[in-house]
Amino acid sequence: MTEIRVLTDEAQYRAHSTLFRRAMHWGPPTDEQWPIVLPSYEPGRVLAAFEGDEMVGTTQSFGSSMVVPGGAVVPHAAVSRVGVRADYTRRGVVSALMQEQLSTLPEPVATLRASEGRIYGRFGYGLAGRVRFLRIDAKKAVIPGSPAGRVRMVDPDTSDKLLPELHAAFGLDRPGQISRWPGWWARALDRKTEAENRVMVVHSGPDGDDGYVCYKVSEDKDFKHSMEIEDIAWANADAWRDLWIYLTRLDLIDEINVDAALDDPLNWLFEDPRVVCTKDVYDQIWLRLVDAPRMLAARTYGVGEPVVIEVHDKLLPANDGCYRVSADGAERVDQQADITIPVELLGAVYLGDTKFSDLAAAKRIEGSRFAEADALFAGPVAPLCSTFF
Ligand SMILES: CC(C)(COP(=O)(O)OP(=O)(O)OC[C@H]1O[C@@H](n2cnc3c(N)ncnc32)[C@H](O)[C@@H]1OP(=O)(O)O)[C@@H](O)C(=O)NCCC(=O)NCCS
């Protein structure tokens, strides 16, 4: 009989970390790594499944907040470290963990990154945001004109304090973006010290610091230099353009790799838009509406005729019901539905990445008036979550 417990002490956290890492085929955390990993264990949010005294499965969440379409910021749970011991898989362990976690999360919405696309739909998570992996031919990348502000390199001591402040000030710039918790920064700052050539650069304009980028350059045996952008954020178009002027005018660099939103206009910065090549598009945000009425009311909607949507949620039946969505907002109603949708697919359309009409074409939802629903749920910008967890 699987029992789910909330873990409370460091020894259990370390066992949790070891179990999760082994499920991912990684080694356990080393003594050197552990002090940096430990702050990411938030009391009350770490769950494990037990068979008798043996820990056999893990999950946890980090308390955060998320931007929804229209710009409101709502409490959000970042779910992570989901793993089951290899000798206990396919016996319902993760199902028990997910049921307990979803029933006890204080936040109205949860997101996660999925190792495989078939795992989380059954738990009500839908694929709600994708990202483009871009490669820029740095030798041909020319941005005409001069920078408007200036950039400066900062040392790790400065960036440890400054970057969290800057991210809090302007990192929540799109639907799907989430705030970062202290344990996230502890891991990220550690990642910066792992390699001696990680570089942090801050941009300032007339109103002070308004952009930053963290990157790392590696060199192969043929002296080819590749840059990975690990973190980039900006408050305004001048800061964005100036950071890219800096990055593309660096000596020796052959290519720059970066993740960007589907609608990121980066190619328009360059004289030759072909220097930006989309190498891949992959799924990023898997979103679970924990409190569907609250989340439907939290976002804004586009113009269009109202539609009534009937939601079905096997794990959280409090979400079941009909919701009237119009340009003025969303509310629970007792009316005939136009569209019937399971909660994971409502999660998929929530941030605007997926359309009702596409789900209908794929025979994933039933009803009518999909174009009206598309118009209501469409947003001016594509979602993105630049915070990996
Ligand atoms: C993925 C994982 C967490 C699933 O745990 P589990 O305890 O085996 O899952 P359950 O037994 O509760 O399975 C529930 C259902 O999901 C299905 N399922 C689980 N994992 C699946 C997978 N990777 N692919 C397809 N189906 C899967 C099961 O077949 C089962 O279906 P059923 O209810 O129709 O019988 C576990 O296999 C694991 O730890 N994998 C390696 C680490 C990993 O990928 N973690 C996720 C990180 S995001």
Side-chain angles (χ1 to χ4, degrees):
M1 164 78 185
T2 308
E3 188 195 340
I4 308 301
R5 296 183 201 154
V6 181
L7 304 189
T8 50
D9 67 51
E10 186 180 337
Q12 291 179 320
Y13 294 159
R14 192 150 180 178
H16 185 283
S17 176
T18 298
L19 194 156
F20 165 68
R21 292 182 61 84
R22 288 215 161 114
M24 298 297 290
H25 308 293
W26 304 331
T30 62
D31 289 346
E32 198 186 13
Q33 289 165 337
W34 182 243
I36 293 132
V37 179
L38 180 60
S40 67
Y41 281 85
E42 291 180 38
R45 307 196 69 116
V46 186
L47 301 184
F50 284 82
E51 295 283 343
D53 288 337
E54 284 200 272
M55 193 186 291
V56 295
T58 60
T59 184
Q60 77 180 98
S61 62
F62 311 106
S64 146
S65 48
M66 186 182 81
V67 183
V68 300
V73 178
V74 300
H76 159 259
V79 170
S80 190
R81 296 183 182 145
V82 179
V84 172
R85 231 172 70 174
D87 51 348
Y88 276 89
T89 53
R90 307 304 181 267
R91 300 183 196 190
V93 172
V94 104
S95 303
L97 279 164
M98 289 285 124
Q99 174 78 66
E100 178 65 17
Q101 186 175 51
L102 287 171
S103 322
T104 52
L105 278 179
E107 292 84 9
V109 63
T111 68
L112 53 74
R113 307 288 170 106
S115 61
E116 293 185 90
R118 290 179 63 208
I119 300 173
Y120 292 103
R122 74 190 69 234
F123 306 124
Y125 287 86
L127 199 180
R130 293 163 298 151
V131 68
R132 276 194 302 161
F133 174 59
L134 305 180
R135 179 159 299 153
I136 295 140
D137 184 341
K139 294 285 190 213
K140 294 185 187 162
V142 177
I143 302 176
S146 312
R150 65 176 298 273
V151 294
R152 67 183 191 283
M153 292 169 106
V154 291
D155 60 32
D157 285 344
T158 307
S159 69
D160 283 6
K161 186 168 175 304
L162 188 55
L163 264 46
E165 289 171 11
L166 296 182
H167 184 268
F170 49 75
L172 299 188
D173 61 342
R174 279 175 183 263
Q177 292 283 29
I178 61 173
S179 63
R180 295 172 176 175
W181 47 97
W184 188 94
W185 283 109
R187 300 288 314 278
L189 300 175
D190 173 56
R191 283 200 283 270
K192 290 192 186 74
T193 57
E194 266 170 24
E196 48 201 54
N197 66 342
R198 193 158 277 118
V199 181
M200 284 75 76
V201 169
V202 173
H203 180 271
S204 42
D207 299 323
D209 293 341
D210 57 4
Y212 72 83
V213 61
C214 304
Y215 63 89
K216 190 181 161 187
V217 177
S218 57
E219 177 192 328
D220 73 10
K221 58 179 174 31
D222 299 320
F223 200 55
K224 182 179 161 192
H225 290 74
S226 301
M227 176 191 289
E228 310 297 323
I229 307 269
E230 300 190 328
D231 197 6
I232 182 166
W234 57 90
N236 54 63
D238 279 348
W240 173 64
R241 181 172 169 277
D242 285 3
L243 287 171
W244 280 104
I245 288 177
Y246 165 81
L247 292 167
T248 50
R249 291 183 188 175
L250 282 169
D251 289 337
L252 300 177
I253 307 299
D254 293 286
E255 64 177 37
I256 302 175
N257 296 307
V258 64
D259 280 340
L262 292 191
D263 60 355
D264 192 305
L266 191 62
N267 56 317
W268 292 107
L269 276 180
F270 301 101
E271 273 180 359
D272 176 359
R274 273 198 205 166
V275 300
V276 180
C277 180
T278 298
K279 302 304 283 185
D280 200 358
V281 175
Y282 55 91
D283 60 85
Q284 183 189 52
I285 305 170
W286 286 75
L287 185 145
R288 207 318 168 176
L289 297 166
V290 178
D291 182 341
R294 182 167 164 198
M295 289 303 292
L296 286 170
R299 59 157 292 176
T300 59
Y301 296 92
V303 290
E305 290 298 307
V307 290
V308 176
I309 298 170
E310 183 178 358
V311 179
H312 291 282
D313 190 337
K314 287 189 199 119
L315 294 190
L316 300 176
N319 289 327
D320 283 349
C322 291
Y323 301 87
R324 181 178 185 273
V325 181
S326 71
D328 298 328
E331 58 180 345
R332 206 191 273 267
V333 291
D334 188 9
Q335 280 179 23
Q336 178 77 28
D338 300 303
I339 297 170
T340 304
I341 190 166
V343 73
E344 66 272 20
L345 297 182
L346 188 63
V349 294
Y350 183 82
L351 297 175
D353 181 82
T354 300
K355 294 196 294 186
F356 285 84
S357 48
D358 290 341
L359 296 176
K363 306 246 180 273
R364 299 292 303 274
I365 58 173
E366 290 176 359
S368 60
R369 312 192 63 237
F370 302 117
E372 287 86 342
D374 288 346
L376 288 166
F377 278 74
V381 289
L384 181 73
C385 180
S386 319
T387 302
F388 181 80
F389 55 92

mmCIF file of all heavy atoms in Angstrom, residues 20 23-25 82-85 88-96 112-116 118-120 122-123, ligand 1:
data_model
loop_
_atom_site.group_PDB
_atom_site.id
_atom_site.type_symbol
_atom_site.label_atom_id
_atom_site.label_comp_id
_atom_site.label_asym_id
_atom_site.label_seq_id
_atom_site.Cartn_x
_atom_site.Cartn_y
_atom_site.Cartn_z
ATOM 1 N N PHE A 20 15.266 10.819 -6.804
ATOM 2 C CA PHE A 20 14.888 11.495 -8.049
ATOM 3 C C PHE A 20 16.020 11.420 -9.069
ATOM 4 O O PHE A 20 15.807 11.076 -10.235
ATOM 5 C CB PHE A 20 14.515 12.958 -7.784
ATOM 6 C CG PHE A 20 14.464 13.771 -9.052
ATOM 7 C CD1 PHE A 20 13.475 13.524 -10.003
ATOM 8 C CD2 PHE A 20 15.432 14.721 -9.329
ATOM 9 C CE1 PHE A 20 13.452 14.228 -11.200
ATOM 10 C CE2 PHE A 20 15.406 15.431 -10.526
ATOM 11 C CZ PHE A 20 14.415 15.178 -11.461
ATOM 12 N N ALA A 23 16.292 8.115 -10.617
ATOM 13 C CA ALA A 23 15.201 7.872 -11.583
ATOM 14 C C ALA A 23 15.542 8.504 -12.937
ATOM 15 O O ALA A 23 15.124 8.010 -13.985
ATOM 16 C CB ALA A 23 13.882 8.424 -11.046
ATOM 17 N N MET A 24 16.304 9.606 -12.885
ATOM 18 C CA MET A 24 16.716 10.274 -14.133
ATOM 19 C C MET A 24 18.030 9.703 -14.686
ATOM 20 O O MET A 24 18.584 10.236 -15.635
ATOM 21 C CB MET A 24 16.898 11.782 -13.876
ATOM 22 C CG MET A 24 15.629 12.500 -13.439
ATOM 23 S SD MET A 24 14.306 12.498 -14.678
ATOM 24 C CE MET A 24 14.948 13.593 -15.921
ATOM 25 N N HIS A 25 18.537 8.666 -14.036
ATOM 26 C CA HIS A 25 19.813 8.027 -14.413
ATOM 27 C C HIS A 25 21.009 8.951 -14.152
ATOM 28 O O HIS A 25 21.994 8.920 -14.887
ATOM 29 C CB HIS A 25 19.790 7.560 -15.882
ATOM 30 C CG HIS A 25 18.615 6.728 -16.211
ATOM 31 N ND1 HIS A 25 18.403 5.477 -15.683
ATOM 32 C CD2 HIS A 25 17.533 6.982 -17.000
ATOM 33 C CE1 HIS A 25 17.259 4.988 -16.126
ATOM 34 N NE2 HIS A 25 16.706 5.889 -16.921
ATOM 35 N N VAL A 82 10.011 14.921 -10.035
ATOM 36 C CA VAL A 82 9.069 13.797 -10.051
ATOM 37 C C VAL A 82 9.841 12.554 -10.475
ATOM 38 O O VAL A 82 10.404 12.509 -11.571
ATOM 39 C CB VAL A 82 7.922 14.065 -11.051
ATOM 40 C CG1 VAL A 82 6.962 12.880 -11.077
ATOM 41 C CG2 VAL A 82 7.190 15.350 -10.696
ATOM 42 N N GLY A 83 9.875 11.568 -9.611
ATOM 43 C CA GLY A 83 10.605 10.343 -9.965
ATOM 44 C C GLY A 83 10.122 9.159 -9.152
ATOM 45 O O GLY A 83 9.649 9.312 -8.024
ATOM 46 N N VAL A 84 10.226 7.988 -9.754
ATOM 47 C CA VAL A 84 9.835 6.746 -9.068
ATOM 48 C C VAL A 84 11.004 5.771 -9.188
ATOM 49 O O VAL A 84 11.653 5.687 -10.257
ATOM 50 C CB VAL A 84 8.542 6.162 -9.695
ATOM 51 C CG1 VAL A 84 8.225 4.777 -9.125
ATOM 52 C CG2 VAL A 84 7.372 7.104 -9.456
ATOM 53 N N ARG A 85 11.280 5.083 -8.103
ATOM 54 C CA ARG A 85 12.382 4.110 -8.117
ATOM 55 C C ARG A 85 12.130 3.090 -9.214
ATOM 56 O O ARG A 85 10.989 2.605 -9.359
ATOM 57 C CB ARG A 85 12.456 3.419 -6.751
ATOM 58 C CG ARG A 85 13.846 3.449 -6.172
ATOM 59 C CD ARG A 85 13.849 2.941 -4.772
ATOM 60 N NE ARG A 85 13.594 1.504 -4.715
ATOM 61 C CZ ARG A 85 13.665 0.799 -3.577
ATOM 62 N NH1 ARG A 85 13.942 1.408 -2.441
ATOM 63 N NH2 ARG A 85 13.446 -0.500 -3.588
ATOM 64 N N TYR A 88 9.941 0.156 -8.870
ATOM 65 C CA TYR A 88 8.547 0.362 -8.427
ATOM 66 C C TYR A 88 7.687 1.070 -9.476
ATOM 67 O O TYR A 88 6.577 1.491 -9.169
ATOM 68 C CB TYR A 88 8.521 1.156 -7.121
ATOM 69 C CG TYR A 88 8.705 0.283 -5.898
ATOM 70 C CD1 TYR A 88 9.977 0.010 -5.412
ATOM 71 C CD2 TYR A 88 7.604 -0.288 -5.271
ATOM 72 C CE1 TYR A 88 10.152 -0.808 -4.309
ATOM 73 C CE2 TYR A 88 7.760 -1.107 -4.168
ATOM 74 C CZ TYR A 88 9.042 -1.368 -3.684
ATOM 75 O OH TYR A 88 9.201 -2.181 -2.597
ATOM 76 N N THR A 89 8.205 1.229 -10.708
ATOM 77 C CA THR A 89 7.413 1.950 -11.712
ATOM 78 C C THR A 89 6.203 1.120 -12.162
ATOM 79 O O THR A 89 6.159 -0.096 -12.003
ATOM 80 C CB THR A 89 8.273 2.301 -12.958
ATOM 81 O OG1 THR A 89 8.877 1.111 -13.431
ATOM 82 C CG2 THR A 89 9.328 3.329 -12.630
ATOM 83 N N ARG A 90 5.218 1.831 -12.716
ATOM 84 C CA ARG A 90 3.967 1.282 -13.263
ATOM 85 C C ARG A 90 3.162 0.496 -12.228
ATOM 86 O O ARG A 90 2.543 -0.511 -12.530
ATOM 87 C CB ARG A 90 4.233 0.387 -14.500
ATOM 88 C CG ARG A 90 5.054 1.032 -15.600
ATOM 89 C CD ARG A 90 4.484 2.340 -16.128
ATOM 90 N NE ARG A 90 5.330 2.847 -17.176
ATOM 91 C CZ ARG A 90 6.343 3.724 -16.972
ATOM 92 N NH1 ARG A 90 6.577 4.215 -15.765
ATOM 93 N NH2 ARG A 90 7.082 4.120 -17.979
ATOM 94 N N ARG A 91 3.203 1.002 -11.004
ATOM 95 C CA ARG A 91 2.345 0.421 -9.952
ATOM 96 C C ARG A 91 1.502 1.511 -9.312
ATOM 97 O O ARG A 91 1.048 1.372 -8.194
ATOM 98 C CB ARG A 91 3.199 -0.203 -8.860
ATOM 99 C CG ARG A 91 4.098 -1.307 -9.323
ATOM 100 C CD ARG A 91 4.816 -1.848 -8.105
ATOM 101 N NE ARG A 91 5.961 -2.638 -8.502
ATOM 102 C CZ ARG A 91 6.656 -3.375 -7.672
ATOM 103 N NH1 ARG A 91 6.342 -3.420 -6.389
ATOM 104 N NH2 ARG A 91 7.698 -4.066 -8.096
ATOM 105 N N GLY A 92 1.391 2.658 -9.983
ATOM 106 C CA GLY A 92 0.531 3.710 -9.462
ATOM 107 C C GLY A 92 1.189 4.660 -8.478
ATOM 108 O O GLY A 92 0.513 5.466 -7.844
ATOM 109 N N VAL A 93 2.548 4.601 -8.368
ATOM 110 C CA VAL A 93 3.214 5.446 -7.361
ATOM 111 C C VAL A 93 3.096 6.924 -7.725
ATOM 112 O O VAL A 93 2.693 7.755 -6.912
ATOM 113 C CB VAL A 93 4.697 5.029 -7.200
ATOM 114 C CG1 VAL A 93 5.437 6.030 -6.305
ATOM 115 C CG2 VAL A 93 4.796 3.628 -6.607
ATOM 116 N N VAL A 94 3.415 7.269 -8.973
ATOM 117 C CA VAL A 94 3.336 8.690 -9.319
ATOM 118 C C VAL A 94 1.883 9.167 -9.346
ATOM 119 O O VAL A 94 1.597 10.314 -9.006
ATOM 120 C CB VAL A 94 4.109 9.016 -10.615
ATOM 121 C CG1 VAL A 94 3.222 9.225 -11.816
ATOM 122 C CG2 VAL A 94 4.925 10.266 -10.390
ATOM 123 N N SER A 95 0.973 8.288 -9.689
ATOM 124 C CA SER A 95 -0.451 8.671 -9.659
ATOM 125 C C SER A 95 -0.848 9.080 -8.245
ATOM 126 O O SER A 95 -1.530 10.091 -8.050
ATOM 127 C CB SER A 95 -1.332 7.507 -10.113
ATOM 128 O OG SER A 95 -0.953 7.070 -11.396
ATOM 129 N N ALA A 96 -0.403 8.305 -7.240
ATOM 130 C CA ALA A 96 -0.732 8.639 -5.846
ATOM 131 C C ALA A 96 -0.070 9.957 -5.442
ATOM 132 O O ALA A 96 -0.677 10.794 -4.764
ATOM 133 C CB ALA A 96 -0.284 7.507 -4.929
ATOM 134 N N LEU A 112 5.038 22.515 -14.895
ATOM 135 C CA LEU A 112 6.231 21.677 -14.795
ATOM 136 C C LEU A 112 6.859 21.537 -16.175
ATOM 137 O O LEU A 112 6.265 21.948 -17.190
ATOM 138 C CB LEU A 112 5.895 20.302 -14.200
ATOM 139 C CG LEU A 112 4.771 19.454 -14.812
ATOM 140 C CD1 LEU A 112 5.164 18.837 -16.143
ATOM 141 C CD2 LEU A 112 4.380 18.348 -13.845
ATOM 142 N N ARG A 113 8.071 20.993 -16.207
ATOM 143 C CA ARG A 113 8.740 20.597 -17.451
ATOM 144 C C ARG A 113 8.674 19.075 -17.503
ATOM 145 O O ARG A 113 9.017 18.427 -16.512
ATOM 146 C CB ARG A 113 10.210 21.025 -17.463
ATOM 147 C CG ARG A 113 10.442 22.503 -17.170
ATOM 148 C CD ARG A 113 10.000 23.350 -18.324
ATOM 149 N NE ARG A 113 9.999 24.751 -17.982
ATOM 150 C CZ ARG A 113 10.903 25.632 -18.412
ATOM 151 N NH1 ARG A 113 11.890 25.243 -19.181
ATOM 152 N NH2 ARG A 113 10.795 26.900 -18.089
ATOM 153 N N ALA A 114 8.252 18.545 -18.632
ATOM 154 C CA ALA A 114 8.024 17.101 -18.724
ATOM 155 C C ALA A 114 9.191 16.405 -19.415
ATOM 156 O O ALA A 114 9.620 16.826 -20.491
ATOM 157 C CB ALA A 114 6.736 16.831 -19.493
ATOM 158 N N SER A 115 9.657 15.320 -18.811
ATOM 159 C CA SER A 115 10.732 14.547 -19.454
ATOM 160 C C SER A 115 10.193 13.793 -20.670
ATOM 161 O O SER A 115 10.924 13.539 -21.619
ATOM 162 C CB SER A 115 11.345 13.557 -18.457
ATOM 163 O OG SER A 115 10.362 12.641 -18.012
ATOM 164 N N GLU A 116 8.895 13.417 -20.611
ATOM 165 C CA GLU A 116 8.260 12.723 -21.733
ATOM 166 C C GLU A 116 6.843 13.257 -21.901
ATOM 167 O O GLU A 116 6.172 13.582 -20.916
ATOM 168 C CB GLU A 116 8.201 11.218 -21.470
ATOM 169 C CG GLU A 116 9.568 10.553 -21.447
ATOM 170 C CD GLU A 116 9.434 9.046 -21.294
ATOM 171 O OE1 GLU A 116 9.340 8.355 -22.324
ATOM 172 O OE2 GLU A 116 9.406 8.576 -20.154
ATOM 173 N N ARG A 118 4.017 11.886 -22.689
ATOM 174 C CA ARG A 118 2.826 11.068 -22.377
ATOM 175 C C ARG A 118 2.565 10.931 -20.886
ATOM 176 O O ARG A 118 1.625 10.257 -20.487
ATOM 177 C CB ARG A 118 2.992 9.670 -22.990
ATOM 178 C CG ARG A 118 2.911 9.673 -24.509
ATOM 179 C CD ARG A 118 3.111 8.295 -25.068
ATOM 180 N NE ARG A 118 2.069 7.379 -24.634
ATOM 181 C CZ ARG A 118 2.253 6.066 -24.513
ATOM 182 N NH1 ARG A 118 3.417 5.534 -24.766
ATOM 183 N NH2 ARG A 118 1.253 5.295 -24.124
ATOM 184 N N ILE A 119 3.371 11.560 -20.049
ATOM 185 C CA ILE A 119 3.231 11.309 -18.611
ATOM 186 C C ILE A 119 2.096 12.117 -17.976
ATOM 187 O O ILE A 119 1.283 11.565 -17.224
ATOM 188 C CB ILE A 119 4.551 11.631 -17.865
ATOM 189 C CG1 ILE A 119 5.695 10.778 -18.387
ATOM 190 C CG2 ILE A 119 4.374 11.422 -16.353
ATOM 191 C CD1 ILE A 119 7.071 11.135 -17.824
ATOM 192 N N TYR A 120 2.014 13.431 -18.264
ATOM 193 C CA TYR A 120 1.280 14.326 -17.363
ATOM 194 C C TYR A 120 -0.143 14.690 -17.787
ATOM 195 O O TYR A 120 -0.881 15.255 -16.992
ATOM 196 C CB TYR A 120 2.101 15.596 -17.127
ATOM 197 C CG TYR A 120 3.358 15.312 -16.338
ATOM 198 C CD1 TYR A 120 4.598 15.238 -16.962
ATOM 199 C CD2 TYR A 120 3.295 15.075 -14.969
ATOM 200 C CE1 TYR A 120 5.751 14.957 -16.239
ATOM 201 C CE2 TYR A 120 4.433 14.785 -14.241
ATOM 202 C CZ TYR A 120 5.661 14.730 -14.884
ATOM 203 O OH TYR A 120 6.781 14.433 -14.158
ATOM 204 N N ARG A 122 -2.684 12.833 -18.112
ATOM 205 C CA ARG A 122 -3.653 12.121 -17.266
ATOM 206 C C ARG A 122 -3.798 12.775 -15.895
ATOM 207 O O ARG A 122 -4.753 12.517 -15.180
ATOM 208 C CB ARG A 122 -3.244 10.652 -17.131
ATOM 209 C CG ARG A 122 -2.073 10.409 -16.231
ATOM 210 C CD ARG A 122 -1.555 8.986 -16.319
ATOM 211 N NE ARG A 122 -0.927 8.722 -17.598
ATOM 212 C CZ ARG A 122 -1.260 7.717 -18.401
ATOM 213 N NH1 ARG A 122 -2.226 6.888 -18.048
ATOM 214 N NH2 ARG A 122 -0.628 7.543 -19.537
ATOM 215 N N PHE A 123 -2.835 13.625 -15.529
ATOM 216 C CA PHE A 123 -2.929 14.331 -14.249
ATOM 217 C C PHE A 123 -3.430 15.765 -14.432
ATOM 218 O O PHE A 123 -3.388 16.567 -13.505
ATOM 219 C CB PHE A 123 -1.578 14.315 -13.533
ATOM 220 C CG PHE A 123 -1.012 12.921 -13.368
ATOM 221 C CD1 PHE A 123 0.247 12.603 -13.850
ATOM 222 C CD2 PHE A 123 -1.781 11.924 -12.769
ATOM 223 C CE1 PHE A 123 0.752 11.312 -13.722
ATOM 224 C CE2 PHE A 123 -1.291 10.622 -12.643
ATOM 225 C CZ PHE A 123 -0.014 10.317 -13.120
HETATM 226 C C1 LIG B 1 7.500 8.772 -15.286
HETATM 227 C C2 LIG B 1 7.363 8.159 -13.922
HETATM 228 C C3 LIG B 1 7.423 9.263 -12.862
HETATM 229 C C4 LIG B 1 5.993 7.434 -13.854
HETATM 230 O O1 LIG B 1 5.810 6.890 -12.563
HETATM 231 P P1 LIG B 1 4.955 5.550 -12.332
HETATM 232 O O2 LIG B 1 4.813 5.379 -10.878
HETATM 233 O O3 LIG B 1 5.522 4.438 -13.120
HETATM 234 O O4 LIG B 1 3.550 5.939 -12.961
HETATM 235 P P2 LIG B 1 2.154 5.238 -12.624
HETATM 236 O O5 LIG B 1 2.361 3.795 -12.321
HETATM 237 O O6 LIG B 1 1.458 6.033 -11.577
HETATM 238 O O7 LIG B 1 1.459 5.404 -14.038
HETATM 239 C C5 LIG B 1 0.249 6.028 -14.278
HETATM 240 C C6 LIG B 1 -0.121 5.817 -15.715
HETATM 241 O O8 LIG B 1 0.798 6.563 -16.540
HETATM 242 C C7 LIG B 1 1.423 5.685 -17.474
HETATM 243 N N1 LIG B 1 2.810 6.129 -17.601
HETATM 244 C C8 LIG B 1 3.647 6.402 -16.609
HETATM 245 N N2 LIG B 1 4.849 6.791 -17.095
HETATM 246 C C9 LIG B 1 4.738 6.762 -18.432
HETATM 247 C C10 LIG B 1 5.639 7.050 -19.474
HETATM 248 N N3 LIG B 1 6.903 7.451 -19.224
HETATM 249 N N4 LIG B 1 5.194 6.913 -20.739
HETATM 250 C C11 LIG B 1 3.918 6.490 -20.976
HETATM 251 N N5 LIG B 1 3.027 6.206 -20.006
HETATM 252 C C12 LIG B 1 3.435 6.334 -18.753
HETATM 253 C C13 LIG B 1 1.308 4.322 -16.866
HETATM 254 O O9 LIG B 1 1.377 3.325 -17.839
HETATM 255 C C14 LIG B 1 -0.040 4.387 -16.196
HETATM 256 O O10 LIG B 1 -1.060 4.199 -17.145
HETATM 257 P P3 LIG B 1 -2.426 3.441 -16.791
HETATM 258 O O11 LIG B 1 -3.016 4.215 -15.625
HETATM 259 O O12 LIG B 1 -3.218 3.548 -18.043
HETATM 260 O O13 LIG B 1 -2.023 2.054 -16.401
HETATM 261 C C15 LIG B 1 8.477 7.119 -13.632
HETATM 262 O O14 LIG B 1 8.422 6.145 -14.632
HETATM 263 C C16 LIG B 1 9.872 7.719 -13.598
HETATM 264 O O15 LIG B 1 10.366 8.044 -12.540
HETATM 265 N N6 LIG B 1 10.524 7.830 -14.794
HETATM 266 C C17 LIG B 1 11.901 8.317 -14.888
HETATM 267 C C18 LIG B 1 12.078 9.745 -14.372
HETATM 268 C C19 LIG B 1 11.177 10.738 -15.078
HETATM 269 O O16 LIG B 1 11.045 10.771 -16.290
HETATM 270 N N7 LIG B 1 10.532 11.580 -14.261
HETATM 271 C C20 LIG B 1 9.684 12.647 -14.736
HETATM 272 C C21 LIG B 1 10.451 13.915 -14.698
HETATM 273 S S1 LIG B 1 9.526 15.243 -15.426
#
